[in-house]
Amino acid sequence: MTSPARKPSRIQTENRQRIRDAALGLFATYGFRGTTLDQIAEACGMHKPNLIYYFESKEAIHIDLLNMLMEEWLSPLNAMDPDGEPLEEMLGYIRRKMEMSRLYPRESRLFANEIVQGAPRMLPHLESTLKPLFNRQIGIITRWMDAGKLARMHPAHLIFSIWAVTQHYADFEAQIAVLLPGDDKRARGADEFVEMMFRKVLAP
Amino acid sequence: MTSPARKPSRIQTENRQRIRDAALGLFATYGFRGTTLDQIAEACGMHKPNLIYYFESKEAIHIDLLNMLMEEWLSPLNAMDPDGEPLEEMLGYIRRKMEMSRLYPRESRLFANEIVQGAPRMLPHLESTLKPLFNRQIGIITRWMDAGKLARMHPAHLIFSIWAVTQHYADFEAQIAVLLPGDDKRARGADEFVEMMFRKVLAP
DNA sequence: CAGGTTTTTTACCATTTGGTAAAGTTACGA
DNA sequence: TCGTAACTTTACCAAATGGTAAAAAACCTG
């Protein structure tokens, strides 16, 4: 066992990252219970006990991923500027969410899996990390509405709808691929649609 | 084993339904791999081999549920009337989807689980059942837009956004419950918001 | 390059899990 | 009410799975 509070070696850092990368794809696709240590091991070219050498259990890998995810995932929310031009700030946020959905579908699906299943390992994190950020954002948006810069509406549901629409493209990709097989222009069409949609909704 | 093509007895019908009901809740919450036959058995007060007496395998239960789900799930789409008033037809559809999200969250989550994981058992069904219906609907909406009754936009993405927003309330309930704890008016607020939103988007 | 430390590999193990065999029990039509 | 078919229960089993022990190999530092 690695002694506690010891700075990780190069190999540690590297291999932990390899494990995370393999596990992310598998957990995102098959869920926590649906993924086996053997699968993860094979996906990153290691042996099962080696995983346990780097993470003390399968659950530890999952938790580690969820923790990392939370930070990245919330960065677009943090990037909103209360002093910016309201409509442009909102559309910028929406664009960044669409971009994340396209660039990091595994992360999106990992998150979706966790929440759909009742957030068994993430509820405290939602409460302590997401909620304050969410509430701050609600405040900013409310002030923008008060100032007449955005149409008046329920700000929480507005954010939910943004999350719903943007993440849908990653989480339900399997369905979209069946219904809209024209692969090439799909992302463009989605971006344009979503921007148009929220422009209409948000315009004061 | 029951002889093939034989009409089911009263007990058959009853118990198969009990099993479906228990399995639906568990599959929706824990996913296919995350649910065990023992859990299902306990949830419906039966013994494991008894489940296998009624369904030939765990997978058979899952498939049975997905098949039943598909029909119910698509009924609101079918209920749209090509000769109705376009905006009201669309809003009616959206209202029915919100209602289903509220009344049948287990079904919504079962579906979400399946799609997020790449629809391993449902892809053919999506292709053969959902896709034609979807395309027919695209046609109807396109004609409405051509007639100037709805704002012009990409009809497929419009439908995706409706699905995304309405199902979000069932699928991500765990998250919403954390962020919007005021339990009583939540459904009302959601309904009003969604209606307002799509009214703006769809108005010609 | 020697010697200890870190990392990897092989061989296991206990539990869980999907499923079966077969005996026992209940329901139901003749 | 009797016999048979439908249903339930008990006792299992083989494979899969999360995890451990400990030897072997690779790595690093003085």
Side-chain angles (χ1 to χ4, degrees), chain B residues 9 12 15 33 47 49-50 53-54:
Chain B
S9 72
Q12 287 255 345
N15 282 353
R33 290 285 307 273
H47 290 216
N50 216 341
Y53 177 75
Y54 287 108

Side-chain angles (χ1 to χ4, degrees), chain A residues 76-182:
Chain A
L77 248 193
N78 269 318
M80 283 180 79
D81 176 10
D83 301 319
E85 213 291 301
L87 187 57
E88 277 314 309
E89 286 297 321
M90 293 298 296
L91 292 173
Y93 174 63
I94 290 162
R95 261 179 241 122
R96 277 188 296 269
K97 287 289 288 180
M98 285 298 283
E99 200 185 342
M100 291 187 69
S101 198
R102 201 178 319 116
L103 295 179
Y104 309 109
R106 297 181 307 172
E107 281 81 350
S108 187
R109 284 195 274 260
L110 180 72
F111 188 77
N113 258 307
E114 172 70 7
I115 303 294
V116 167
Q117 311 203 352
R121 290 171 243 276
M122 235 193 174
L123 262 192
H125 225 10
L126 294 181
E127 193 75 53
S128 66
T129 309
L130 175 59
K131 195 172 180 177
L133 236 119
F134 177 80
N135 284 333
R136 193 182 69 101
Q137 208 52 39
I138 295 291
I140 295 174
I141 292 176
T142 303
R143 260 168 272 131
W144 285 342
M145 289 178 184
D146 289 346
K149 302 289 195 178
L150 296 178
R152 165 129 357 246
M153 69 193 75
H154 196 309
H157 289 289
L158 170 62
I159 292 182
F160 295 156
S161 72
I162 293 173
W163 290 347
V165 170
T166 55
Q167 290 174 199
H168 187 84
Y169 285 99
D171 302 343
F172 285 69
E173 198 194 296
Q175 178 176 249
I176 293 175
V178 167
L179 299 179
L180 215 63

